[in-house]
Amino acid sequence: MKRFQFSLETVLKLRTRKEEEEIRRLSIVVSKLNELILEKQTNEVEIQNSYDTILASAKVGTSLDDYLYIERYIQGLIKQNADLDQKIFSQMEEVNLVRKDVLVARQNKKVLEVLKEKRHLEWKKRRNKMERREVEEFNLSMANFDSYFEGLTAAKPSKKIPKTFKILNREDGGDELTSDFKTLRDFYEKYYLGQGKT
């Protein structure tokens, strides 16, 4: 039996490639989201440091221009974080959409993988059944060959009853045997050879 071949193998490869592309796309979108979140966190740390600078300089005595400069810097970071919040929100929506695309691609691939596995199991059952049938046919042909070969080589048992002879010794009446033999010999010579005594 030929080896297993899945008729939709090309489609399965395409769907696997599509899933890989969607996963790559998801990783790019997630990395952009992470960059935005990291930028916002950096800004928040910078805002906190700026407030700490204002508090520390209040004790030392700082000019009004320095306070205004730090304040404008903090306001710029706050505005930047508000923009980042919007970007993060829209990026999260994109991440969710791409995640759905990954799930759809994964499900499409999984359907074909399940179908392939099911067909492979059916193929294995058919192969095992054929192998069992071949083994049974081989065993049957070997049994037929053996019985044929045995029929040719084995001698057929004879149905005749083998002849048995009674062995007599002198103690069993051997004299009778001798007299019977003489009687037979005389009969043979008389009738078959024509030399018998009259």
Side-chain angles (χ1 to χ4, degrees):
M1 184 174 193
K2 63 180 182 179
R3 66 184 186 86
F4 174 73
Q5 288 182 333
F6 184 51
S7 59
L8 299 173
E9 190 67 40
T10 308
V11 178
L12 179 59
K13 285 179 182 175
L14 289 173
R15 289 191 178 178
T16 303
R17 195 171 299 138
K18 175 70 173 170
E19 180 193 23
E20 290 168 358
E21 288 172 6
E22 293 297 335
I23 289 171
R24 273 194 298 275
R25 200 170 125 226
L26 178 64
S27 68
I28 290 169
V29 172
V30 168
S31 68
K32 283 181 183 176
L33 176 64
N34 289 337
E35 285 174 11
L36 292 171
I37 291 172
L38 183 63
E39 188 179 347
K40 182 184 174 190
Q41 289 173 347
T42 305
N43 287 347
E44 287 173 351
V45 169
E46 193 62 34
I47 290 169
Q48 187 61 45
N49 288 342
S50 297
Y51 280 128
D52 291 342
T53 303
I54 290 173
L55 289 174
S57 63
K59 295 176 184 173
V60 176
T62 307
S63 67
L64 190 57
D65 290 335
D66 290 339
Y67 281 125
L68 290 173
Y69 173 76
I70 293 171
E71 185 62 32
R72 280 195 297 270
Y73 179 67
I74 290 172
Q75 292 302 320
L77 289 175
I78 290 171
K79 184 176 183 326
Q80 197 175 19
N81 275 357
D83 293 340
L84 285 172
D85 281 338
Q86 290 178 350
K87 288 180 182 176
I88 287 170
F89 181 76
S90 64
Q91 192 68 23
M92 284 182 79
E93 286 180 344
E94 189 174 351
V95 165
N96 289 332
L97 289 173
V98 175
R99 217 177 250 147
K100 286 178 185 174
D101 292 342
V102 169
L103 288 174
V104 168
R106 189 167 286 156
Q107 287 172 349
N108 289 340
K109 182 183 120 181
K110 187 70 176 170
V111 166
L112 284 181
E113 285 177 338
V114 168
L115 183 62
K116 180 180 180 179
E117 185 63 30
K118 185 178 176 185
R119 289 197 181 158
H120 187 252
L121 288 173
E122 290 170 358
W123 175 83
K124 279 170 85 175
K125 284 180 184 176
R126 284 195 311 270
R127 184 195 62 190
N128 291 342
K129 189 175 179 181
M130 284 182 68
E131 286 176 354
R132 275 196 306 273
R133 188 180 309 135
E134 287 173 1
V135 168
E136 288 170 1
E137 288 173 1
F138 177 77
N139 289 339
L140 184 63
S141 67
M142 288 305 293
N144 289 340
F145 178 75
D146 288 345
S147 65
Y148 175 74
F149 187 69
E150 286 174 6
L152 289 177
T153 57
K156 293 183 180 177
S158 174
K159 292 184 181 179
K160 294 181 181 178
I161 298 172
K163 294 182 181 179
T164 57
F165 298 97
K166 185 176 181 185
I167 298 174
L168 299 173
N169 56 22
R170 297 265 173 202
E171 291 133 19
D172 291 339
D175 291 336
E176 288 178 15
L177 183 62
T178 310
S179 67
D180 285 344
F181 177 71
K182 286 180 183 178
T183 307
L184 284 172
R185 189 183 73 196
D186 290 343
F187 180 78
Y188 176 74
E189 288 175 354
K190 181 178 180 181
Y191 288 104
Y192 289 102
L193 299 175
Q195 302 171 358
K197 297 175 184 173
T198 54

